[in-house]
Amino acid sequence: VPTAQALQGKRVACQMGATTQLWLTKNVPSAKLLAFDTTNQAVEAVKARQCDAALVDTAQASAFQAQNPELTHALVGETGSG
């Protein structure tokens, strides 16, 4: 998913209560949010095709991609916090 606009109407996983969840509900209200207890669970949901994308911070995205070369990541927005 290369842009925030591409998340519209998609099933997007994130960590419950994280700034990524707040960003998604504010900036892409048409996304179907799937909130998980951990970021690991959100990424596993992508791998299991339970959702179209996971919204995580940049450092985590890089780490998850290093461990899972089949995954890609892109910067779709900034929370302005953290």
Side-chain angles (χ1 to χ4, degrees):
V1 177
T3 65
Q5 188 174 21
L7 294 172
Q8 293 182 25
K10 301 289 186 191
R11 298 169 299 155
V12 183
C14 65
Q15 183 176 346
M16 189 179 316
T19 55
T20 51
Q21 180 181 6
L22 300 172
W23 182 90
L24 185 65
T25 56
K26 178 181 177 185
N27 294 285
V28 192
S30 67
K32 298 173 181 84
L33 175 66
L34 289 89
F36 290 90
D37 290 333
T38 68
T39 302
N40 286 344
Q41 291 172 330
V43 172
E44 288 300 320
V46 173
K47 291 171 60 177
R49 301 194 189 280
Q50 295 173 336
C51 58
D52 302 303
L55 200 59
V56 301
D57 69 36
T58 303
Q60 289 177 317
S62 296
F64 282 119
Q65 186 177 16
Q67 295 172 0
N68 302 278
E70 73 279 11
L71 300 179
T72 60
H73 71 277
L75 179 65
V76 296
E78 295 185 35
T79 62
S81 62

